[in-house]
Amino acid sequence: MSKKKLLVLTGGGDCPGLNAVLRGIVKRSQQNPEWEVYGSIEAYNGVLSDPQEIVRLDNKAIAGIHVKGGTIIKTTNKGGPFTWPVKHEDGTWSSIDRSDDLLNRLDDLGITAVISIGGDGSQRISQKLYERGLDIVGVPKTIDNDLSGTDFTFGFQTAVQIASDSLDKLVTTAESHHRVMIMEVMGRAAGWIALHTAISGGAEVCLIPEIPYDIEKIKQRIDQRYHNGKGFAHIVMAEGAKPIGGDVVATKSNEVGYKNVRLGGCAYRLSQELKDAGCEADIRETVLGHIQRGGGPIAFDRVLALQFGVKAFEMVLERKFGRMVAYKHNDIVDVPLLEAISTYNYVNTDSYLVKTARGLGISFGD
Ligand code: F6P
């Protein structure tokens, strides 16, 4: 019997739970022995590079990996088949479209279907390849939770747990020194990690991209806290937070093929703004950074990721291509890839989560 070949890849920034998805796919595929699962190393690079880097994902390869962070088949958030970086003789770089080459190579490899595990950028690529005739299923991934079409992405709750545990640690040192602690978390243009962490950790101030802040309002909330006899305070801010009329703190990366601006450092700007506004307390800044993406997934994300893996394989069996696995209303469903990528999943500022934060006395600086 000739085997059907499923190619799986992980793209974009890594995220706790990627390995659990791989395990879910491979385990479920074993109930349909006509299928063999392969992994392309570093997203599509494994197919497009010479020599190719394609690995067999069998029972041995996925043994025990659901608890491990990272991705056993590696990932990249640079380039891609439609924007493949090419170096010229003068040392400059530009990008070319290698999607035809990719589709031909997948044909040559005898690939029947592809599962792409990735965030916004990866699923945009999935949609374009689907429109070019590729049988592809998407699995949503990102610690930022900024992908539409799904209530949660795996990795998000793990990032919140790491941030929340970190905030708990900052509380004890802030209390000892009567300090204002600013903790900056990831999230790109969405404030999900910051909002969940601020509520979970009991912060006084939460700054998210969706609600630009007024420094005077933040100072008032800090002063109120100190006047009430609590000689310390906590601010959780998203890396994409910005003052009213201001912009994000970002640097342009010169890494080849890297399209995003690198967010980070807004905690230091806020610290200075607070001092300029007359805040007398000592202020310290913590930028959590990639710690939030490291290590294994918490149990919630393991379960979510394993469900996503099993579902993705079943979608391949059902030929539900051009669609993405999703978690909606406590169920695992599928949605068109277009639903996931057509809008960005911002925090709804009228949501009960934001109301809860306000109800707890958390200031958004507005
Ligand atoms: O999208 C996930 C994320 O961790 C963002 O929260 C962050 O802004 C970005 O990736 C960092 O990317 P990199 O790993 O390229 O520094």
Side-chain angles (χ1 to χ4, degrees), residues 13 77 142-144 186-188 239 258 262-263 290 293:
N77 56 5
T142 164
I143 63 161
D144 304 329
M186 284 183 164
R188 294 214 69 81
E239 62 183 2
Y258 194 88
R262 289 190 61 195
L263 295 172
H290 293 78
R293 282 192 357 214

Side-chain angles (χ1 to χ4, degrees), residues 301-322:
D301 281 334
R302 283 182 208 178
V303 175
L304 187 62
L306 286 161
Q307 290 184 93
F308 278 6
V310 169
K311 174 75 176 176
F313 184 78
E314 291 183 345
M315 285 168 65
V316 169
L317 292 182
E318 292 159 15
R319 301 192 53 78
K320 287 187 164 180
F321 301 119

Side-chain angles (χ1 to χ4, degrees), residues 182 266-276 283 285:
I182 305 173
C266 60
Y268 298 99
R269 173 177 68 183
L270 179 69
S271 178
Q272 191 56 51
E273 287 169 342
L274 276 171
K275 283 175 202 149
D276 295 344
I283 308 171
E285 313 80 14

